[in-house]
Amino acid sequence: MGEVLHTLSAGELGRRLAAGTLTSRALCEALITRFKALNETVGAFTHLDQADVLAQADASDARRKAGQGRGPLEGIPVAIKDNIAVKGQPLTCSSKMLAPLVSPYDSHVAERLRAAGAILYGRLNMDEFAMGSSTENSAIRKTFNPWDLARIPGGSSGGSAAALAAGLVPLSLGSDTGGSIRQPASHCGVVGLKPTYGLISRFGLVAFASSLDQIGPMARSIEDCELLLNALASADARDMTCFGPADRALAPSGDAKKLRIGIPKGFLGKGVAPEVAAAVNAAVAFYRAQGCAISEVELPSSDLAVPTYYVVATAEASSNLGRYDGVRYGHRSASAGTPVEMMTASRSEGFGPEVKRRILLGTFVLSAGYADAYYVRALRARAKIRGEYLAALAGVDMLLTPTVPTPAFKVGEKASDPLQLYLEDIFTIPANLAGLPALSVPCGKSGHLPVGFHLVGAPLSEAKLLAAGRLFEAAHGFAHQQAAL
Amino acid sequence: MSTPPSDWEVVIGLEVHVQLHTRAKVFASSPWGFGQEPNEQVDPVVLGLPGTLPVVNREAVEKSILFGLVVGASVPEHCSWDRKNYFYPDNPKNYQLTQKDFPVVVGGQVEIELPGASRNVMGEHKFIRIHHAHLEEDVGKLSHAGSGSLVDYNRAGVPLLEIVTEPDLRSSAEAEAFLRSLVAMITQAGVADCDMEKGQLRCDCNVSIRRRGTEKLGTRTETKNLNSISSVRDTVIYETARQIRELEAGRSITQETRGWNAELVRGYVLRDKEDAHDYRYFPDPDIPTLKISRETVTRLSALVPENLYDRQRRYIANLGLPYTAASVLVNDRALAEWFELAVAAHPANPSGIANLVANDLLRDLAASATAPVSLESCLIKPAQLAGLVKLTDEGVISKQQAKEVFTEMFTSGRDAAAIVDAKGLRQNSDTGELEKIVQEVIADPAVAKSIAEYRAGNEKAINALKGPIMKRTQGKANPVLIDQLLRKFLG
Amino acid sequence: MAEGFDIDHLAKLARLSLTAEEKALYSSQLNQILGHFEALAQADLPALSDDARVVDEAALRSDEPGPVLGSAAVTRLAPASRDGQISVPRVVDDES
């Protein structure tokens, strides 16, 4: 039984736990065994508090025995990206800057998972402070793509995706600012959802770019993804950007076969690898064959998306990361001196190159004399991009593109070219700029490497995206796929 | 040749930081208040722990709006918050949440009263314009210990209303008058307590000099963190003199940030805070724009008290109070309202009531043996004080006796009439009886000399006859009546 | 070089100290990135409009004091502390 547990969906695990044919303890023990066998190879987790996990599992089993099971997630492990606060667990953001930090408080999503009876299972590796697309910027360890251990899993939620693809956990949380859930989901052949901005509370998510960041569910199937989404999406008065109870009604999914899908003009020409284009075109053909209306839409300002994103995101990041100075928590430099020297040394020792680059860029675009030319213009461009997306989505239910232009590259291949990496966010970035929900669904392979397609919908249209994903998934064999390790 | 001092004009603008009267902090729910152990009023949001977010305190917003209504400002439909980015150990996020572009209060004015020629004469009134007021968070407190420094974040996140004036002030006296008036208006509306000993009000003072009659403002200096009205006044005097000295010596004024040493009574240049000038302001993405409803503004308008100078004018014009009594009463809203209740009970003699309230009542409240008694717990109620004045007006007791009765009322809370009766203090105003006694005393040879002196023009000589009369009436003769009768019979 | 991009000034503003190699590398990389932002400089953009999201007073928090960490927890988090306060190197902005 232990050998197949890691292949089961969260839905199936939930059914067995409810039926009493499985205990949470047994499940967690099986996953811990697999963790011990594989984590050094895959590197998905930076931390796993085994005693704590087993204590949670025992508590869950006791609740269930007393007839107090809390729902479909009771007893199910959910792994957490290391930028989401869990009380008593590390909150390093895979950075030396926060290596000593143990969070004294729970994020909203951690509270929701506890209330659902889920097991908070370990800390997942990421690009430092969520800045990166390969998880190579982690200061703690490397994570590898389970489908090809010489390649990157994507980023910044690389650990979240790799853990799923390696069968180390059935569900994980990631965060997405410019594609950091969807891109690794695509590279690792799993499902990743970035919700509508404001649907899931950011209280307890370490901020990278406040107006772009969202926590999202990641899983090996649409059903599992939806299970997790339902637990996380709730009002939270501690986040003023999170929808209140009155404003968060999700649009109904409707009949998936009647969905209207828009293909942005010219998107497949944007440096997309032939096998990626082929897999995505096959997905389009599938929907057309189902009876969905496929049309072309125009998004004239697409070329502005990457520069706009990098100006807004780095500006906000440069301010959000100002608090890391060695004074109140985290790494403090041992070198003495004035407070300015101490802060400067702590930050310089604590941050990696990508973080420093983005802080410098963000500082520049906000600085006196340049803020109008860069930051203010970027806000205006952002409004224009959002307007174009909303106009396009008035005529269709969702837009379909590849998630990433090319499949996972080799470790180290793009380490010296940050600009090239930035440009690969072309498909995912607009959903963050416009605050729209977006989903990556596995749709094939490029050789042995997973490929995903990307759906973007109008605000609060998660149910439609998931319905479209479910329609595709049911006819193809990509749900629950795991790399052979 | 140096320019005579009168050719120079000083221009002063103030930025007053007031800690608003709330229970929790402005963007975090941690409590705050004076006298706590260090770092006991700190929660994850205050400390700026990773992942924490600000949520705006409704009471802080409403107190800010109330301030705006008190100064007759306009309350905009929307306001929003911005980040002011700079690194400093007392600044937990290394940015301060403030309001740069769309503050909660715009415009307004504060009426001030300058000292008059003497204590009893009302001075000139002037209006000082408010540019705006914005709601922001306070920072932690740094202290120095040996070779290091220590930080206490209890004060970090406390709601601060920063009130910025136009450069309308023209002297240290005006600056002082402005602060007194501002504090009175703020405390009387319940917006803040302004207890400067607890650091609840701090002031930055901008001073520049120009030649009288010119329009262009001179280069200004900013002296920061003044925590008493006297230090603001002294800073203005010092900085005015310093800048004039510099200009007269042919040097120019450097725009700089300065501090004030209250013990040495001098200013000094603050060490440059390393690029403190590029704050890279941008709208805070964690706090959406706030729409302020007109219903809220209307509801808060009902809480705006009468302006103290309007009240003062009303007391002088309508109630006939002398300036000194009126100005004492209006300085304390609770006292003024107490006074008005007493007048309502006995409208015929507001001045008499004012005299007792402004002098005797205030004195006794402050001087109580154990601790100052508050107006609320004072045993005398307004109607009772009115009753005392009424008795005096009716001639039942003399003013001298009234003082004695008052003291008894203060300690016992009993009515004036009851005390008068119990002590048998009723004045003898029986004209017939008193006439007889006066004539008897006048006929006494012992006072013949005094009578002669009085008739010769010495007004004061009449007092020598009053003593014997009082003796014969056990001190109860109505002194006013005695005086009248004496003058009548002496001619 | 992108106009006005002064890496020494920016590093100072951001409290970062960079080696000579880092300065050279980041300058070159960031200038390349900024060059890519030309599209942003040239685009025809609408004026900045009102905030997409406006909240009303219902989103404000009531003035109820909430839980605190306690000074023990605060000092436990801090790299250095003394008598309940957080220690830092001596701050100097008094007159010398």
Side-chain angles (χ1 to χ4, degrees):
Chain A
M1 189 61 115
E3 297 129 56
V4 299
L5 280 178
H6 69 272
T7 66
L8 298 178
S9 71
E12 178 57 26
L13 288 169
R15 288 185 273 279
R16 293 187 189 197
L17 286 164
T21 55
L22 177 64
T23 61
S24 181
R25 170 117 198 172
L27 172 58
C28 290
E29 281 174 343
L31 290 176
I32 288 171
T33 301
R34 195 167 168 83
F35 163 87
K36 287 179 183 165
L38 291 175
N39 198 54
E40 273 315 296
T41 308
V42 176
F45 288 86
T46 53
H47 186 83
L48 181 61
D49 187 338
Q50 295 170 31
D52 173 71
V53 163
L54 293 172
Q56 291 182 60
D58 289 341
S60 173
D61 290 333
R63 278 195 294 275
R64 193 184 298 278
K65 210 161 175 184
Q68 285 163 5
R70 292 174 181 168
L73 284 181
E74 179 68 61
I76 308 265
V78 180
I80 317 262
K81 186 175 181 183
D82 204 16
N83 62 352
I84 297 171
V86 172
K87 185 170 178 179
Q89 297 296 320
L91 186 61
T92 71
C93 302
S94 289
S95 176
K96 281 193 230 160
M97 194 75 223
L98 294 181
L101 182 62
V102 171
S103 180
Y105 78 103
D106 264 340
S107 55
H108 178 77
V109 294
E111 286 178 356
R112 295 287 299 172
L113 289 174
R114 288 190 205 275
I119 311 296
L120 301 180
Y121 187 90
R123 313 297 296 164
L124 293 164
N125 199 22
M126 53 186 282
D127 281 298
E128 188 185 353
F129 284 108
M131 298 183 188
S133 329
S134 63
T135 309
E136 292 174 293
N137 296 330
S138 168
I140 298 188
R141 67 175 315 142
K142 299 222 175 309
T143 303
F144 303 101
N145 191 320
W147 297 91
D148 181 337
L149 294 168
R151 292 179 185 260
I152 52 100
S156 61
S157 310
S160 309
L164 292 168
L168 292 172
V169 77
L171 297 170
S172 65
L173 292 191
S175 74
D176 191 309
T177 304
S180 289
I181 283 175
R182 296 160 282 156
Q183 183 253 35
S186 177
H187 281 332
C188 290
V190 300
V191 176
L193 173 75
K194 181 202 84 67
T196 308
Y197 183 83
L199 184 65
I200 297 182
S201 168
R202 290 183 299 116
F203 179 76
L205 170 65
V206 180
F208 158 13
S210 316
S211 71
L212 300 163
D213 295 339
Q214 277 290 278
I215 294 173
M218 299 176 72
R220 291 189 292 264
S221 71
I222 297 288
E223 181 197 14
D224 282 359
C225 187
E226 193 166 25
L227 195 63
L228 192 45
L229 175 68
N230 291 339
L232 303 172
S234 71
D236 183 9
R238 295 167 298 189
D239 173 4
M240 289 188 87
T241 63
C242 183
F243 295 129
D247 301 317
R248 55 177 41 245
L250 289 179
S253 62
D255 182 352
K257 295 186 184 180
K258 299 219 172 79
L259 290 170
R260 303 158 297 161
I261 298 176
I263 313 292
K265 185 174 172 190
F267 267 43
L268 280 175
K270 289 180 192 293
V272 178
E275 289 186 344
V276 172
V280 175
N281 281 327
V284 175
F286 166 79
Y287 283 114
R288 188 181 280 115
Q290 295 298 308
C292 301
I294 313 288
S295 57
E296 196 180 52
V297 299
E298 295 232 6
L299 296 166
S301 300
S302 314
D303 284 346
L304 295 179
V306 171
T308 300
Y309 170 81
Y310 277 97
V311 170
V312 173
T314 59
E316 293 180 5
S318 70
S319 177
N320 283 328
L321 271 64
R323 65 191 67 200
Y324 306 118
D325 59 7
V327 172
R328 290 159 295 283
Y329 51 82
H331 169 71
R332 182 189 286 201
S333 173
S335 66
T338 64
V340 171
E341 287 165 353
M342 182 273 274
M343 290 191 216
T344 303
S346 302
R347 290 164 65 78
S348 308
E349 290 165 14
F351 292 141
E354 184 60 32
V355 171
K356 287 180 185 167
R357 259 194 296 274
R358 296 195 192 198
I359 288 174
L360 289 167
L361 183 56
T363 305
F364 175 64
V365 302
L366 285 175
S367 63
Y370 299 98
D372 281 340
Y374 288 99
Y375 184 70
V376 177
R377 280 193 74 79
L379 293 181
R380 293 162 64 186
R382 179 180 190 168
K384 189 170 191 194
I385 291 166
R386 180 176 160 91
E388 286 177 8
Y389 268 75
L390 290 176
L393 287 163
V396 299
D397 294 299
M398 57 196 68
L399 307 177
L400 192 157
T401 67
T403 305
V404 203
T406 53
F409 51 83
K410 285 196 185 316
V411 170
E413 191 181 325
K414 310 220 173 163
S416 58
D417 198 343
L419 176 60
Q420 214 191 98
L421 269 180
Y422 294 173
L423 292 171
E424 293 197 354
D425 293 332
I426 184 78
F427 299 126
T428 50
I429 271 175
N432 301 85
L433 288 173
L436 303 174
L439 179 69
S440 181
V441 182
C443 69
K445 294 268 175 37
S446 167
H448 60 291
L449 299 172
V451 172
F453 70 90
H454 182 251
L455 299 173
V456 184
L460 297 171
S461 66
E462 279 81 349
K464 289 193 194 182
L465 301 180
L466 292 166
R470 195 176 298 113
L471 182 68
F472 181 88
E473 185 188 73
H476 297 80
F478 305 119
H480 311 299
Q481 62 177 351
Q482 288 184 26
L485 283 166
Chain B
M1 181 155 86
S2 70
T3 317
S6 60
D7 271 13
W8 294 111
E9 178 177 53
V10 63
V11 175
I12 303 145
L14 295 178
E15 289 159 24
V16 186
H17 297 80
V18 176
Q19 290 182 338
L20 296 176
H21 184 70
T22 64
R23 298 166 65 209
K25 296 188 174 183
V26 63
F27 300 114
S29 61
S30 161
W32 70 276
F34 189 73
Q36 292 296 316
E37 290 300 302
N39 290 309
E40 283 297 349
Q41 294 172 324
V42 173
D43 69 13
V45 179
V46 170
L47 204 58
L49 280 174
T52 54
L53 296 169
V55 181
V56 183
N57 180 327
R58 179 177 302 123
E59 187 67 17
V61 173
E62 293 200 352
K63 289 276 193 300
S64 305
I65 294 171
L66 181 56
F67 169 78
L69 295 169
V70 164
V71 296
S74 77
V75 180
E77 292 236 343
H78 297 98
C79 75
S80 60
W81 280 269
D82 302 285
R83 294 189 185 182
K84 177 181 183 183
N85 298 281
Y86 68 95
F87 288 85
Y88 208 64
D90 64 6
N91 192 3
K93 301 183 290 294
N94 285 321
Y95 62 84
Q96 183 199 28
L97 285 168
T98 180
Q99 298 186 295
K100 178 165 163 284
D101 292 329
F102 300 104
V104 60
V105 168
V106 178
Q109 57 184 14
V110 170
E111 182 176 0
I112 69 173
E113 180 179 286
L114 293 166
S118 75
R119 228 192 107 247
N120 302 333
V121 174
M122 186 169 80
E124 181 199 337
H125 280 227
K126 201 178 155 177
F127 283 92
I128 305 299
R129 294 169 303 162
I130 300 295
H131 181 266
H132 78 276
H134 64 258
L135 177 59
E136 61 182 24
E137 56 182 345
D138 210 339
V139 293
K141 212 177 279 194
L142 270 169
S143 58
H144 307 300
S147 62
S149 295
L150 297 173
V151 197
D152 170 16
Y153 292 102
N154 283 354
R155 195 181 63 185
V158 168
L160 276 187
L161 187 65
E162 179 173 335
I163 302 160
V164 180
T165 74
E166 297 282 13
D168 288 353
L169 299 160
R170 292 289 175 272
S171 68
S172 61
E174 290 190 8
E176 189 171 346
F178 171 79
L179 287 171
R180 292 198 192 289
S181 180
L182 184 71
V183 168
M185 290 167 79
I186 286 175
T187 53
Q188 293 190 11
V191 165
D193 296 335
C194 295
D195 187 337
M196 278 174 257
E197 274 173 41
K198 294 181 182 171
Q200 294 178 356
L201 188 148
R202 281 126 54 197
C203 206
D204 297 340
C205 181
N206 296 291
V207 178
S208 69
I209 301 289
R210 65 183 174 192
R211 287 199 186 279
R212 204 172 284 285
T214 58
E215 280 213 19
K216 187 160 178 278
L217 291 171
T219 306
R220 65 177 168 84
T221 62
E222 181 187 17
T223 304
K224 293 184 83 70
N225 260 317
L226 301 160
N227 55 18
S228 66
I229 295 181
S230 58
S231 58
V232 174
R233 180 197 64 223
D234 292 343
T235 293
V236 171
I237 293 169
Y238 175 91
E239 196 51 20
T240 304
R242 187 190 74 81
Q243 290 193 18
I244 289 175
R245 228 175 19 244
E246 291 295 296
L247 291 173
E248 290 191 340
R251 293 186 284 274
S252 57
I253 305 299
T254 317
Q255 179 169 5
E256 63 198 3
T257 307
R258 303 175 63 86
W260 178 251
N261 187 319
E263 279 121 49
L264 299 179
V265 198
R266 50 178 288 204
Y268 57 92
V269 181
L270 277 175
R271 202 168 283 262
D272 186 35
K273 276 187 188 159
E274 304 261 10
D275 295 298
H277 307 296
D278 191 355
Y279 295 119
R280 304 182 297 288
Y281 287 98
F282 70 101
D284 182 54
D286 293 322
I287 306 176
T289 299
L290 176 67
K291 182 170 158 65
I292 300 173
S293 71
R294 296 304 98 184
E295 288 76 29
T296 295
V297 175
T298 304
R299 173 172 52 84
L300 293 171
S301 299
L303 300 177
V304 177
E306 184 179 14
N307 174 274
L308 70 156
Y309 296 117
D310 287 341
R311 196 191 291 262
Q312 183 175 275
R313 280 184 279 273
R314 180 163 66 81
Y315 284 3
I316 292 170
N318 300 4
L319 299 184
L321 295 195
Y323 163 71
T324 33
S327 91
V328 168
L329 291 173
V330 303
N331 216 43
D332 180 332
R333 178 183 171 186
L335 191 68
E337 290 173 352
W338 199 101
F339 162 74
E340 288 176 17
L341 285 173
V343 170
H346 175 55
N349 187 6
S351 285
I353 293 176
N355 184 36
L356 272 181
V357 174
N359 296 308
D360 303 71
L361 182 62
L362 275 187
R363 178 202 61 219
D364 283 358
L365 285 173
S368 163
T370 43
V373 178
S374 74
L375 193 58
E376 296 127 2
S377 56
C378 175
L379 294 175
I380 306 183
K381 299 303 156 206
Q384 291 172 304
L385 189 121
L388 174 61
V389 175
K390 189 156 185 271
L391 285 180
T392 313
D393 291 348
E394 287 166 354
V396 172
I397 51 174
S398 68
K399 282 196 183 139
Q400 218 29 54
Q401 289 171 312
K403 302 261 173 195
E404 192 189 323
V405 174
F406 177 87
T407 305
E408 180 71 26
M409 287 171 79
F410 187 85
T411 49
S412 71
R414 291 163 68 207
D415 278 355
I419 294 169
V420 163
D421 288 339
K423 291 188 168 210
L425 292 177
R426 286 190 178 261
Q427 285 190 131
N428 187 340
S429 295
D430 181 340
T431 312
E433 191 187 323
L434 289 177
E435 273 192 6
K436 199 158 157 269
I437 293 172
V438 168
Q439 284 171 335
E440 281 172 17
V441 168
I442 284 175
D444 187 343
V447 300
K449 186 157 174 271
S450 299
I451 291 172
E453 281 174 17
Y454 172 72
R455 282 185 175 143
N458 184 356
E459 271 290 319
K460 289 203 180 139
I462 206 173
N463 293 337
L465 285 84
K466 290 185 181 172
I469 297 170
M470 279 303 181
K471 220 163 152 209
R472 285 191 201 211
T473 58
Q474 288 87 45
K476 289 191 184 160
N478 182 331
V480 173
L481 199 45
I482 293 304
D483 190 87
Q484 283 171 1
L485 290 172
L486 278 172
R487 288 179 199 279
K488 179 172 151 193
F489 292 134
L490 292 176
Chain C
M1 274 299 206
E3 198 206 307
F5 188 86
D6 174 353
I7 197 154
D8 289 304
H9 173 68
L10 294 172
K12 202 165 159 216
L13 273 181
R15 297 294 185 264
L16 293 172
S17 77
L18 305 172
T19 62
E21 293 79 27
E22 283 173 320
K23 283 189 200 177
L25 179 63
Y26 298 163
S27 279
S28 138
Q29 289 172 329
L30 289 170
N31 274 291
Q32 198 196 10
I33 290 164
L34 284 166
H36 186 74
F37 292 177
E38 263 310 289
L40 195 53
Q42 302 303 327
D44 176 29
L45 299 173
L48 202 55
S49 62
D50 284 6
D51 220 348
R53 186 124 190 274
V54 176
V55 292
D56 62 24
E57 289 135 23
L60 301 176
R61 190 174 35 85
S62 78
D63 190 29
E64 280 303 313
V68 296
L69 282 168
S71 68
V74 172
T75 50
R76 221 176 9 250
L77 284 164
S81 63
R82 208 178 95 175
D83 300 330
Q85 299 198 60
I86 294 181
S87 312
V88 292
R90 179 73 189 233
V91 175
V92 187
D93 58 17
D94 304 335
E95 73 184 312
S96 50

